[in-house]
Amino acid sequence: MIEISVDIVDAKLADETATLVETLVADKVASRIAAQDATLWGADAQSEAAIRLGWTALHETSRPLLAEIDALRAELHSEGVDRVVLAGMGGSSLAPEVITATAGVPLVVLDTTDPAQVADALAGDLTRTVLVVSSKSGGTVETDSHRRIFEKAFAAQGIDAASRIVVVTDPGSPFEELAGQAGYRKVFLADPNVGGRYSALTAFGLVPSGLAGADIATLLDEASAAASVLAKDEDTNAGLVLGAALGVRHSEGAEKVVFADTDTSVKGFPDWVEQLIAESTGKQGTGLLPVATEGTDAPGFADAGDDATATAIGTPAGAARVSTSGSLGGLFLLWEYATAVAGRLLGINPFDQPDVEAAKKAARALLDQPTGSGDAEKPSLVDGPVEVYGHFEGTSLPEVLRSFVASVPEFGYVSVQAYLDRLDDASAALLRPELARRTGFQTTFGWGPRFLHSTGQYHKGGHQNGVFLQLTGAVEDDLEVPDRPYTLGVLQRAQALGDGQVLKEHGRPVLRLHLTDRAAGLAHLVKAVQEVERP
């Protein structure tokens, strides 16, 4: 079994961390987390913490799921059903994506409202497809839309939709009741005392991963081995060391944690851990902003300044001050413990997400308007295939971008939010390193609305020094959402506009660029970014 480890590369940080760890050990923080002591984060957090600490025991409590998942997989395979599509947002999709990527098994993940990307999933062989619908309540608008669309598609091919839908939800949820009434193939109930971002080892992480063929029994074994270490009040406890290091760096002004993946066996871990950190710590005007980069040579990591902690997932490399390594199951639990510890040090409740709902409400309000999208705004500028929305000076796209970058405060950050097709519009991700290189500011990238269930909490609740570049695109072939008064395209647009509205209400600069031709627009935008430099 691979042991988990934390390496503090920076000697000064190592000394400061060791001093703080002594206090954490004296306060028995590790054993109290393992014992699910809800008083660790103060009186204001106690009621929420009391129902959110089930994650500490999942390596044991999730064991009964293994046989059920194996049995269902065998049943499906006997019927020729071996393609797994997952409809889920946030914690319901991020962990399964990492688990299956690390295991090298295929899983189609739907955490988008982009019509083309959903159409791509529908274009697969539905005769071999099972849809896993994961939602704690069933009310998540994206996931509900996917369920409705796939039900219709199954029926159109003469397939009994109910026999091809598997549900993961909380016990007693409206979704459990709906699934029973609809006669869906199987309902898996997750531990209700675990929040979404801590749910990697619940049914939300295990069911789609196991059905896809990942070795989830070994994953729990790895977590079990880590749990026995992480629960000990010792100065070598990796969870205490990592949490203390993050707390020390934050107290010194390093409010960003910049990730590079240096592990060849664990795939895509930064995409999972960014939700855990952002939603857990980004509130009350404080927190740690995770920045996932492309590698140790990437802008933002290689040149991380005093406002950021370069962290390697795997062996220490490049500019890393901190590195963590181990098995995937061990890393899940290590970072969960460390995040809970960091929450205590920052003086916040690491188990609530008070600002996540704001964007959802704004999107729903726009959907309720007669036009569906509520977009009566006119572009301030049209530059080729790019429409510019926002109050930034300039008569060309490069000039507007320079004005936008000039609005970044000292030690602030740029957030690129692409409400596009993660597959066909993948080149949008090139904007993160390019902007980081050109501006010198830490730059994050998120696919919308996926990031709303991940880093979205931090953007509203964390340090208020971000500026936001939204990308939206023309929809050529929209998809109807059965029995709903909107299409996926309208929903996607409402989510972008709704989140932008909330960010503006927080006093944050928002620049939206609408691509009237997606491919041409992205090429035009990348070229314009190459003319931008830090003011």
Side-chain angles (χ1 to χ4, degrees):
M1 195 65 63
I2 303 172
E3 293 184 0
I4 53 169
S5 64
V6 175
D7 189 350
I8 309 297
V9 181
D10 183 291
K12 177 177 178 289
L13 177 58
D15 289 342
E16 293 171 335
T17 296
T19 300
L20 184 51
V21 168
E22 289 179 4
T23 301
L24 295 171
V25 170
D27 292 340
K28 299 187 181 302
V29 170
S31 60
R32 289 168 66 190
I33 291 176
Q36 303 184 13
D37 182 349
T39 66
L40 276 167
W41 299 274
D44 290 344
Q46 187 169 344
S47 60
E48 181 77 17
I51 58 171
R52 288 290 178 259
L53 285 163
W55 55 270
T56 63
L58 290 171
H59 54 282
E60 297 175 350
T61 58
S62 287
R63 296 273 173 190
L65 287 168
L66 298 178
E68 290 186 66
I69 296 169
D70 284 346
L72 177 58
R73 184 167 188 262
E75 283 180 17
L76 291 168
H77 277 228
S78 71
E79 299 168 14
V81 178
D82 57 3
R83 175 178 181 257
V84 182
V85 176
L86 170 62
M89 302 299 297
S92 297
S93 61
L94 294 169
E97 192 166 62
V98 174
I99 294 168
T100 53
T102 298
V105 297
L107 176 69
V108 179
V109 175
L110 281 184
D111 53 3
T112 181
T113 45
D114 189 84
Q117 192 173 335
V118 175
D120 184 78
L122 286 170
D125 188 350
L126 293 185
T127 65
R128 297 175 39 239
T129 298
V130 59
L131 177 72
V132 180
V133 187
S134 291
S135 175
K136 290 180 75 65
S137 67
T140 305
V141 65
E142 300 94 335
T143 304
D144 178 68
S145 297
H146 299 151
R147 177 183 62 83
R148 293 171 181 274
I149 289 168
F150 265 78
E151 272 193 323
K152 181 178 179 180
F154 281 134
Q157 291 199 17
I159 299 168
D160 176 22
S163 71
R164 296 297 187 87
I165 295 179
V166 172
V167 168
V168 183
T169 189
D170 277 357
S173 71
F175 198 20
E176 181 187 9
E177 181 180 357
L178 184 152
Q181 293 172 348
Y184 291 152
R185 178 69 172 258
K186 177 76 174 177
V187 177
F188 289 93
L189 299 178
D191 188 334
N193 293 322
V194 178
R197 57 189 176 274
Y198 292 84
S199 67
L201 301 179
T202 68
F204 286 107
L206 299 180
V207 170
S209 303
L211 291 179
D215 184 353
I216 53 177
T218 295
L219 190 72
L220 292 182
D221 290 341
E222 294 167 350
S224 182
S228 64
V229 175
L230 293 168
K232 294 179 179 178
D233 296 308
E234 297 177 349
D235 58 8
T236 56
N237 183 321
L240 296 181
V241 172
L242 179 56
L246 296 174
V248 167
R249 289 290 293 147
H250 185 271
S251 70
E252 296 173 346
E255 61 197 43
K256 306 172 186 75
V257 185
V258 187
F259 291 99
D261 197 340
T262 63
D263 193 324
T264 57
S265 60
V266 175
K267 308 294 185 185
F269 193 80
D271 288 338
W272 173 81
V273 81
E274 71 175 2
Q275 182 201 23
L276 176 69
I277 295 172
E279 278 197 352
S280 298
T281 69
K283 59 202 71 171
Q284 299 176 25
T286 189
L288 296 162
L289 174 69
V291 181
T293 70
E294 300 74 28
T296 56
D297 295 330
F301 191 93
D303 55 351
D306 292 337
D307 64 330
T309 304
T311 303
I313 302 297
T315 56
R321 291 176 185 256
V322 178
S323 70
T324 66
S325 61
S327 62
L328 179 55
L331 285 172
F332 279 145
L333 207 57
L334 167 62
W335 277 95
E336 287 167 350
Y337 264 85
T339 301
V341 170
R344 175 178 167 86
L345 297 175
L346 269 61
I348 50 89
N349 174 4
F351 305 111
D352 67 349
Q353 50 281 332
D355 301 290
V356 166
E357 191 62 27
K360 297 179 183 179
K361 289 181 178 178
R364 284 196 293 266
L366 290 171
L367 286 174
D368 288 341
Q369 293 185 16
T371 60
S373 69
D375 184 15
E377 185 183 5
K378 301 297 181 184
S380 58
L381 174 72
V382 177
D383 188 329
V386 180
E387 296 177 348
V388 176
Y389 295 85
H391 303 291
F392 296 92
E393 295 182 359
T395 57
S396 67
L397 185 55
E399 289 180 4
V400 168
L401 289 169
R402 283 194 285 269
S403 176
F404 170 73
V405 170
S407 69
V408 185
E410 185 178 16
F411 302 122
Y413 67 95
V414 178
S415 175
V416 182
Q417 304 170 344
Y419 291 83
L420 300 170
D421 184 333
R422 191 174 161 199
L423 303 177
D424 289 348
D425 302 324
S427 62
L430 297 173
L431 293 169
R432 195 219 71 80
E434 196 64 33
L435 277 168
R437 180 183 299 110
R438 296 282 172 179
T439 68
F441 290 114
Q442 287 296 341
T443 303
T444 69
F445 181 88
W447 294 104
R450 167 187 167 110
F451 79 88
L452 292 175
H453 300 259
S454 178
T455 54
Q457 165 63 41
Y458 183 98
H459 297 322
K460 286 84 157 182
H463 294 278
Q464 292 300 289
N465 54 9
V467 303
F468 301 90
L469 176 61
Q470 287 190 336
L471 306 180
T472 55
V475 173
E476 293 185 4
D477 297 304
D478 210 344
L479 276 177
E480 299 287 335
V481 181
D483 300 320
R484 285 292 181 265
Y486 49 79
T487 63
L488 279 185
V490 168
L491 173 58
Q492 183 184 44
R493 191 176 183 86
Q495 289 174 315
L497 296 177
D499 191 49
Q501 175 183 309
V502 174
L503 290 168
K504 292 173 187 175
E505 290 169 356
H506 279 72
R508 305 316 313 146
V510 179
L511 171 63
R512 182 166 70 89
L513 303 180
H514 183 70
L515 314 178
T516 53
D517 179 307
R518 293 194 181 194
L522 284 172
H524 193 66
L525 175 54
V526 170
K527 184 178 179 181
V529 167
Q530 291 171 345
E531 299 183 37
V532 174
E533 292 183 2
R534 186 171 187 167

